[in-house]
Amino acid sequence: ELKVEQNPLFLSMQEGKNYTIYCNYSTTSDRLYWYRQDPGKSLESLFVLLSNGAVKQEGRLMASLDTKARLSTLHITAAVHDLSATYFCAVDRVQPSGTYKYIFGTGTRLKVLA
Amino acid sequence: ETGVTQSPTHLIKTRGQQVTLRCSSQSGHNTVSWYQQALGQGPQFIFQYYREEENGRGNFPPRFSGLQFPNYSSELNVNALELDDSALYLCASSFRQGQVDTDTQYFGPGTRLTVL
């Protein structure tokens, strides 16, 4: 069964600090996604990681993928208050039957303190 | 380019009733997925429609059903509503070639359903 776990679930950090969010998944998947969600809002796509060793960066966020370890990381550099949100990773997989599954992680609620 | 739109934005129903939620996909997209997000939880995959057929389904009972229309818009129908169906329902669209999406999914603003 495809499962996705994130840690930590909650993260409170000071502005200017660095931190990493981890995303582990249980079985082979096709791609790894990162999303951001602000309270009461929908999801905003941040990154799509397609292959082992993929690294993508946008502003203070950098995502990487290790398919052998089934691990993705979202690294935050010099955090600012505007990054406060809930971050989700997700994986998708075409099953052997040909049908499709898409599984979200538990989410990491990030609060950046001034 | 228009984004993903959903209607209605909010809905209140009573237990046992039926509800239909609607989603218009982003221009150029041919695949629609539906998710249920309970308060404080991550989105749960309900199902996906591609070429007007259900292409994958999460762990949801048959009273959750859907349709995709030739213009790629979609409906989510929920029969015999239960209190636990109260959630934010998100629709997402993407472009698929063959078995995989070519890019990420783009999410609509959601419909908040309250079941009393």
Side-chain angles (χ1 to χ4, degrees):
Chain A
E1 184 184 349
L2 185 56
K3 291 183 179 178
V4 183
E5 293 182 347
Q6 288 179 237
N7 70 83
L9 298 181
F10 298 95
L11 177 56
S12 181
M13 57 191 296
Q14 295 287 330
E15 275 194 331
K17 298 292 187 182
N18 304 331
Y19 210 84
T20 300
I21 299 171
Y22 297 89
C23 173
N24 289 91
Y25 53 98
S26 59
T27 62
T28 307
S29 76
D30 293 310
R31 283 160 303 193
L32 192 293
Y33 305 81
W34 283 97
Y35 294 92
R36 168 184 172 144
Q37 187 175 38
D38 293 298
K41 304 288 187 181
S42 188
L43 280 83
E44 174 191 353
S45 175
L46 295 174
F47 303 108
V48 184
L49 302 171
L50 301 177
S51 59
N52 188 44
V55 177
K56 289 196 174 180
Q57 183 163 5
E58 181 73 34
R60 301 175 187 273
L61 301 178
M62 183 174 71
S64 65
L65 179 62
D66 181 344
T67 57
K68 293 179 182 177
R70 296 177 184 160
L71 171 69
S72 179
T73 60
L74 180 66
H75 186 72
I76 302 157
T77 301
V80 293
H81 179 72
D82 285 352
L83 290 179
S84 297
T86 299
Y87 292 85
F88 291 98
C89 65
V91 297
D92 66 359
R93 183 174 182 225
V94 177
Q95 311 271 70
S97 61
T99 59
Y100 180 83
K101 288 274 190 184
Y102 200 102
I103 308 294
F104 275 84
T106 45
T108 296
R109 191 174 299 175
L110 171 66
K111 186 171 184 179
V112 181
L113 305 172
Chain B
E1 180 182 279
T2 55
V4 180
T5 60
Q6 293 185 243
S7 63
T9 53
H10 296 86
L11 202 52
I12 299 174
K13 291 284 188 178
T14 56
R15 196 169 47 182
Q17 285 189 310
Q18 177 265 342
V19 69
T20 297
L21 309 182
R22 294 179 175 82
C23 171
S24 291
S25 60
Q26 182 166 306
S27 176
H29 286 180
N30 57 10
T31 304
V32 174
S33 302
W34 285 92
Y35 298 86
Q36 181 195 67
Q37 186 176 25
L39 201 60
Q41 306 290 319
Q44 300 292 313
F45 176 65
I46 303 175
F47 42 54
Q48 182 182 80
Y49 277 83
Y50 172 58
R51 292 184 175 178
E52 302 178 50
E53 291 189 359
E54 189 179 288
N55 184 54
R57 189 178 184 95
N59 297 327
F60 282 82
R63 61 188 184 85
F64 285 79
S65 63
L67 286 172
Q68 186 182 31
F69 300 100
N71 67 354
Y72 306 121
S73 66
S74 177
E75 285 182 355
L76 164 65
N77 298 290
V78 187
N79 293 322
L81 284 167
E82 300 177 359
L83 296 179
D84 285 349
D85 295 334
S86 294
L88 179 68
Y89 287 84
L90 295 163
C91 155
S93 73
S94 56
F95 180 74
R96 171 157 300 184
Q97 278 186 324
Q99 283 197 321
V100 296
D101 291 348
T102 59
D103 194 4
T104 189
Q105 297 187 8
Y106 292 86
F107 282 80
T111 294
R112 186 159 298 279
L113 173 65
T114 302
V115 182
L116 303 176

